[in-house]
Amino acid sequence: MRNIVAGNWKSNKLMNEGIELMDAITKGLPTLHKTEVIVAPPAPYLAQFSAQYKAHAVHLSAQQCSEHGHGAHTGEYTAEMLHSSGVTHVIIGHSERRDRFGESFEVVRSKVNQAIGASLHVLLCCGESLEVRESEEHFELISKQLKDALADVDSAKMANITIAYEPVWAIGTGVTASADQAQEMHRFIREQLGNWFNPQVASTTRILYGGSCKPSNAAEIFGQPDVNGGLIGGAALEASSFLSLVAASEAS
Ligand code: 13P
């Protein structure tokens, strides 16, 4: 099973800056033996990046997609549109979308279904706030977030899902979950996948860690038995740190 190192640029980088970063990443990438590299730039750049970097071993992801199919939904872009633009992956259920853009469990589930229907690979995010962790309800919440989002996905389609555990208290804060905390939650998620689907889904679904993952802590986190790489925010905005994370995955 290959690891994944995915860079979520969020709402950062103008077009020329994005091209500079993609140039540096694609030029600096080593021959990959055990890692898939994914970059999720802002949506307006996806079609051009897909044409421009086709020859490189970098997959392109959107940071979200519409919960609807085509039709009169001004401003929305559908999963099928992304697929037709050369995009292969989509992040769904990021805590910033859930919290700031009001994405309910139902909306996240619809987006997952749209993405799967359009043959996109989903990076499905889950994560608890500090408040939830302190009240020791984090396992229950993660289970609920994932079970609900995957309610319409069958075992065969789980090949198109990667899970990203991103504790909200670790995103952009510089505070990383300890390797033990990450491993504990990843193990729990894997067990749940076994309960909801089957042992094969449990053992083959990649589970990424996200939240202040950086070159100084990546080796320890990626080295955990149930961690299969990372979903990276801040450290994905510089080619050197992103490439160090790819190297950490290759060495894990
Ligand atoms: P940071 O790596 O900046 O904490 O962000 C993580 C994240 O939200 C990736 O989706």
Side-chain angles (χ1 to χ4, degrees):
M1 180 156 77
R2 286 162 88 81
N3 287 342
I4 290 177
V5 174
N8 175 10
W9 293 5
K10 308 188 180 184
S11 296
N12 292 295
K13 303 287 177 192
L14 298 179
M15 183 72 164
N16 62 323
E17 297 165 336
I19 289 171
E20 242 173 62
L21 180 53
M22 279 298 281
D23 281 348
I25 290 170
T26 49
K27 279 198 189 97
L29 266 191
T31 303
L32 299 169
H33 298 290
K34 56 181 292 195
T35 309
E36 284 172 31
V37 175
I38 301 169
V39 171
Y45 315 155
L46 283 165
Q48 180 173 330
F49 281 15
S50 131
Q52 199 164 335
Y53 299 102
K54 206 187 279 181
H56 297 276
V58 176
H59 302 282
L60 282 177
S61 176
Q63 298 173 14
Q64 68 111 24
C65 67
S66 179
E67 71 194 275
H68 304 291
H70 69 266
H73 309 293
T74 301
E76 290 287 272
Y77 50 89
T78 68
E80 261 190 307
M81 290 171 190
L82 291 169
H83 186 256
S84 74
S85 310
V87 173
T88 50
H89 293 66
V90 60
I91 298 169
I92 294 179
H94 195 285
S95 58
E96 288 155 16
R97 304 278 331 160
R98 292 180 193 258
D99 298 345
R100 298 178 201 175
F101 300 93
E103 287 191 5
S104 63
F105 281 26
E106 193 183 356
V107 167
V108 170
R109 184 166 68 242
S110 301
K111 291 185 176 204
V112 168
N113 294 341
Q114 288 291 338
I116 297 279
S119 303
L120 291 176
H121 189 106
V122 175
L123 304 175
L124 175 62
C125 300
C126 60
E128 81 285 359
S129 65
L130 188 57
E131 199 184 358
V132 168
R133 179 162 278 262
E134 283 176 345
S135 57
E136 297 186 2
E137 287 163 359
H138 45 299
F139 292 110
E140 198 183 320
L141 178 69
I142 299 303
S143 176
K144 201 159 162 249
Q145 285 176 338
L146 293 176
K147 191 168 187 195
D148 201 281
L150 297 172
D152 302 325
V153 178
D154 63 23
S155 300
K157 289 280 193 277
M158 278 302 291
N160 295 320
I161 303 274
T162 291
I163 289 168
Y165 171 56
E166 300 203 307
V168 178
W169 46 273
I171 295 177
T173 58
V175 179
T176 319
S178 69
D180 286 349
Q181 284 172 320
Q183 168 58 24
E184 182 186 38
M185 185 57 84
H186 284 225
R187 169 56 57 90
F188 171 75
I189 292 170
R190 215 176 277 295
E191 279 167 10
Q192 295 297 83
L193 294 175
N195 295 337
W196 301 331
F197 298 98
N198 58 48
Q200 204 221 340
V201 167
S203 61
T204 56
T205 300
R206 269 93 49 100
I207 308 176
L208 314 183
Y209 171 77
S212 298
C213 194
K214 44 189 180 260
S216 58
N217 58 30
E220 198 189 359
I221 292 177
F222 294 172
Q224 298 304 308
D226 288 297
V227 177
N228 309 111
L231 180 55
I232 319 298
L237 297 175
E238 294 285 340
S240 59
S241 48
F242 188 64
L243 290 169
S244 294
L245 292 166
V246 173
S249 161
E250 286 287 288
S252 69

